[in-house]
Amino acid sequence: MILKSQVEWALHCCAILAGLPQNKYLSTKALAEFHGVPKEYLSKALQSLSQAGIVHTTLGPSGGYRLGKPPADLSFLDIVEAVEGNARTFTCSNIRANNPCRPQGFCDSGPCAVARIMWEADEAWRSKLRSVSLAQLIEMLGQEIPADLWKSTAQWVQQRAG
Amino acid sequence: MILKSQVEWALHCCAILAGLPQNKYLSTKALAEFHGVPKEYLSKALQSLSQAGIVHTTLGPSGGYRLGKPPADLSFLDIVEAVEGNARTFTCSNIRANNPCRPQGFCDSGPCAVARIMWEADEAWRSKLRSVSLAQLIEMLGQEIPADLWKSTAQWVQQRAG
DNA sequence: GAGAGACTACTCGGATACAGTCTGTCCGAGTAAATCCGG
DNA sequence: CCGGATTTACTCGGACAGACTGTATCCGAGTAGTCTCTC
């Protein structure tokens, strides 16, 4: 059970897009070059973000992506679920129903205990992701990245933005 | 990111094995028939549990599996990790290193903020699974399963145990 | 110089291909209990 | 009746195949700016 690499890409792309000047767009090509990943495949992740309303896109030259909401309103969970889907990590196939001792027509009341516990763990994971916003990530990155690198990166983004 | 069906099987099998008389064994065949799953494939999950020391096995006739530890000492996490592996759900490929603005020879101090947050969420998931023991599951099942079904199931297990 | 049309750069979506994992099956090797057979 | 040899029932491990997913690439359709050409 391992998340796709697209999740990592999407998170880093959102972090970059958060530093973009208002009403400017950054192309897939620029984002792909910045992160050193294949442009065409990264485009799939960005499409997922677009469909989820996390980023906004414009066609034509000087087109590309920008965030669709302020970074404070975007949680890690929003981005992860946009790429990975929002299905629970544990699927209950209700194998207790195959118990040969069951009387015919026996009907269960609610999901089985195993599934409930696994779903609680899943919810703990989601809850943590929900509690961290993109704005908080930017703040953390600002603290741990050297000031000159932070500045030159911002310049690079501004130069490529259209 | 969805857990294998083997995880569900392993959890239910451990719950059944917990109801086994001391020093008795239950065969893969019996467990497979009880849960209505393919015997050969279920055997893979049980092998994983065996390698992790969660269950103990004996060869020959009247052989099979029994728990290797008391149910109170077995957590959900033990069982899930035995089948699914203990690798983190998020893998950081350190794509920040591809930032074209980086000076040559730049060296990061510690994992990047994105990975740290994802790993915290992963730990929240594991922590929840670690907090629930197999004994607690048995107790929950005892409360929600009708008494007569609980009894006849115990009898079925005892009859098939060797 | 102004407006219409062509051009360009980009996103979007579908089609395709490849690799790895998940699911499932099959079979031989090894082991321990039960059974059989000779003394 | 007893002890050794055979049989039996099971686990274990590897090999194998098919389906599905993740990764990656390519190309055509559509769109919005930009450029060019004509009047």
Side-chain angles (χ1 to χ4, degrees):
Chain A
M1 191 194 70
I2 291 181
L3 292 167
K4 326 185 196 187
S5 55
Q6 285 192 352
V7 171
E8 185 184 10
W9 301 355
L11 287 167
H12 279 96
C13 283
C14 285
I16 292 295
L17 291 180
L20 204 61
Q22 279 286 348
N23 296 325
K24 288 259 185 175
Y25 293 85
L26 198 58
S27 71
T28 307
K29 194 179 171 192
L31 285 166
E33 285 175 10
F34 184 89
H35 292 117
V37 299
K39 170 175 97 76
E40 322 262 1
Y41 190 34
L42 174 63
S43 134
K44 301 293 174 194
L46 295 171
Q47 276 178 36
S48 299
L49 293 178
S50 174
Q51 286 175 358
I54 292 171
V55 298
H56 183 253
T57 174
T58 306
L59 300 179
S62 75
Y65 294 96
R66 66 171 164 82
L67 289 183
K69 302 175 185 176
D73 294 349
L74 280 175
S75 71
F76 264 57
L77 185 62
D78 292 329
I79 299 168
V80 171
E81 282 191 340
V83 174
E84 195 72 26
N86 56 2
R88 285 194 266 223
T89 57
F90 179 84
T91 55
C92 174
S93 63
N94 206 31
I95 63 174
R96 63 177 169 172
N98 297 324
N99 182 336
C101 304
R102 288 201 160 199
Q104 288 182 359
F106 181 88
C107 208
D108 290 301
S109 58
C112 85
V114 170
R116 285 207 310 276
I117 292 167
M118 294 302 293
W119 288 341
E120 280 176 27
D122 186 273
E123 179 52 32
W125 177 70
R126 291 189 143 78
S127 177
K128 175 67 195 177
L129 292 181
R130 200 180 291 118
S131 75
V132 183
S133 72
L134 185 57
Q136 285 173 275
L137 172 66
I138 307 298
E139 196 182 352
M140 290 173 69
L141 289 174
Q143 283 176 4
E144 72 187 34
I145 293 178
D148 50 348
L149 177 55
W150 182 267
K151 206 166 186 174
S152 59
T153 299
Q155 276 182 347
W156 189 96
V157 168
Q158 221 150 4
Q159 201 174 7
R160 300 291 301 256
Chain B
M1 190 192 72
I2 291 180
L3 293 167
K4 327 184 196 189
S5 55
Q6 285 192 352
V7 171
E8 184 184 9
W9 301 355
L11 288 167
H12 279 96
C13 284
C14 286
I16 292 295
L17 291 179
L20 205 59
Q22 279 286 350
N23 295 325
K24 288 260 184 174
Y25 292 84
L26 198 59
S27 71
T28 307
K29 196 179 170 193
L31 285 167
E33 286 175 9
F34 185 89
H35 292 117
V37 300
K39 171 175 97 74
E40 322 263 0
Y41 190 33
L42 174 63
S43 135
K44 302 289 176 198
L46 295 170
Q47 277 178 37
S48 299
L49 293 177
S50 174
Q51 286 176 0
I54 292 171
V55 297
H56 182 254
T57 173
T58 307
L59 300 178
S62 76
Y65 294 96
R66 66 171 165 82
L67 288 183
K69 301 176 186 175
D73 294 350
L74 279 174
S75 72
F76 264 58
L77 185 63
D78 293 328
I79 299 169
V80 171
E81 282 191 341
V83 174
E84 195 72 28
N86 57 1
R88 283 193 267 222
T89 57
F90 180 84
T91 55
C92 174
S93 63
N94 206 30
I95 64 174
R96 62 179 169 170
N98 297 323
N99 182 338
C101 304
R102 288 202 161 200
Q104 287 181 1
F106 181 88
C107 209
D108 290 301
S109 58
C112 85
V114 169
R116 286 207 310 275
I117 292 168
M118 293 303 291
W119 289 341
E120 279 176 27
D122 185 273
E123 178 52 32
W125 178 70
R126 291 189 144 77
S127 177
K128 174 68 194 177
L129 292 181
R130 200 181 291 117
S131 75
V132 182
S133 71
L134 186 55
Q136 285 173 275
L137 172 66
I138 307 297
E139 195 182 352
M140 290 174 69
L141 289 173
Q143 283 176 5
E144 73 188 35
I145 292 179
D148 50 348
L149 177 55
W150 183 267
K151 205 165 188 174
S152 59
T153 298
Q155 276 182 348
W156 189 96
V157 168
Q158 221 149 3
Q159 202 176 5
R160 300 290 300 258

